[in-house]
Amino acid sequence: MAFGEQPAYLRVASDLRDKIVNGALPPHTRLPSQARIREEYGVSDTVALEARKVLMAEGLVEGRSGSGTYVRERPVPRRISRSGYRPPSGAGPFRQEQSEAGARGTWESTSEQAEAGTAIALRLGIQPGDRVMRTRYVFRDAGEPMMLSTSWEPLAVTGRTPVMLPEEGPLGGCGVVERMAAIDIVVDNVLEEVGARPGLAEELSALGGVPGHLVMVLERTYFASGRAVETAEMVIPADRYRIAYRMSVK
């Protein structure tokens, strides 16, 4: 096989990837052994090993102790909707989606006071070390972890108010807009930025992902007259979910 200028291991990995994608190597099928790859493609053991490493890093195959390397089940990405629409209930985007018939979402959260780190302080327009209420969430779909989220609210804004704890009190579980309105703060703007990066070990462990897999990171900040009143970071497995935005043209 002539490999041209592209490294041989990438060409082998590309061919095996094509076979996985087109179904020639269906899910749960054992990947050809290193010796078979070496023989079929006319490459060295080193090239065969590196090609397998590429497929593992891409999450297309997984090693099973004492058994070999197998093609992974490829998940069908599910849509996570983001919208400017807010129902009368005041629910946040995840709760809006999970209120639909057939949805099986659950979540759990923990809140604690903390000091704002440099990056969070910059997003909130406060000083590093200022006190914030930090709330961590794990969102699940039919019991399967689907999203991690952490929010930070300046205690200079919410401290000693009925909405200091986002998931407790009379407005526990309501969206930021409704909670802030309860303490006479009018949220009038929100900024969302979506990016991607390799998932951290603890994130992928919590989400049931494969080491090295990418995650989408959505950073959201709510503003009231130019002042940031809440910022959050959502981490979503990029191979299992897509973020869909619905925007009005009016």
Side-chain angles (χ1 to χ4, degrees):
M1 177 177 291
F3 290 102
E5 296 181 0
Q6 189 178 36
Y9 76 95
L10 290 180
R11 292 296 297 272
V12 173
S14 178
D15 190 67
L16 291 170
R17 184 190 303 113
D18 287 344
K19 291 179 179 178
I20 292 171
V21 171
N22 66 29
L25 288 172
H28 311 297
T29 299
R30 193 172 187 272
L31 195 71
S33 66
Q34 188 168 310
R36 177 70 179 275
I37 292 174
R38 182 189 65 212
E39 178 182 345
E40 181 176 346
Y41 293 93
V43 296
S44 66
D45 281 334
T46 299
V47 169
L49 177 61
E50 290 302 314
R52 290 158 65 92
K53 286 182 178 179
V54 169
L55 298 177
M56 292 190 75
E58 293 175 350
L60 294 173
V61 300
E62 60 184 353
R64 298 179 186 174
S65 180
S67 179
T69 304
Y70 291 80
V71 178
R72 295 182 68 239
E73 188 83 42
R74 297 180 66 210
V76 177
R78 177 189 164 187
R79 176 181 298 174
I80 295 178
S81 299
R82 307 290 297 171
S83 171
Y85 168 72
R86 303 192 67 81
S89 66
F94 183 81
R95 290 176 172 85
Q96 288 180 36
E97 182 181 72
Q98 295 304 323
S99 66
E100 298 174 359
R104 299 167 294 175
T106 59
W107 55 88
E108 62 233 29
S109 66
T110 57
S111 294
E112 62 184 351
Q113 294 190 32
E115 294 183 355
T118 302
I120 297 304
L122 182 63
R123 283 159 57 177
L124 289 173
I126 59 179
Q127 294 298 313
D130 283 358
R131 303 294 291 177
V132 294
M133 182 63 69
R134 179 177 62 203
T135 303
R136 293 189 171 101
Y137 297 85
V138 179
F139 294 95
R140 304 179 188 276
D141 176 41
E144 175 185 328
M146 61 175 289
M147 178 169 66
L148 305 177
S149 178
T150 305
S151 71
W152 296 265
E153 296 179 352
L155 285 174
V157 174
T158 62
R160 299 181 183 278
T161 73
V163 300
M164 185 172 75
L165 293 169
E167 296 294 325
E168 298 181 24
L171 291 177
C174 288
V176 173
V177 175
E178 290 70 31
R179 291 176 48 250
M180 293 299 162
I183 55 174
D184 298 323
I185 294 175
V186 178
V187 173
D188 54 18
N189 198 7
V190 59
L191 172 66
E192 288 195 353
E193 298 183 23
V194 181
R197 59 168 170 76
L200 303 178
E202 56 269 27
E203 292 170 342
L204 293 173
S205 176
L207 291 168
V210 176
H213 260 196
L214 291 178
V215 294
M216 293 180 287
V217 180
L218 190 154
E219 294 181 357
R220 178 201 66 208
T221 304
Y222 284 99
F223 295 89
S225 300
R227 181 185 187 183
V229 297
E230 189 257 18
T231 193
E233 181 173 290
M234 285 147 272
V235 178
I236 305 163
D239 63 329
R240 286 186 273 152
Y241 295 94
R242 298 289 183 267
I243 299 175
Y245 284 87
R246 187 182 301 276
M247 302 177 184
S248 173
V249 296
K250 295 180 180 180

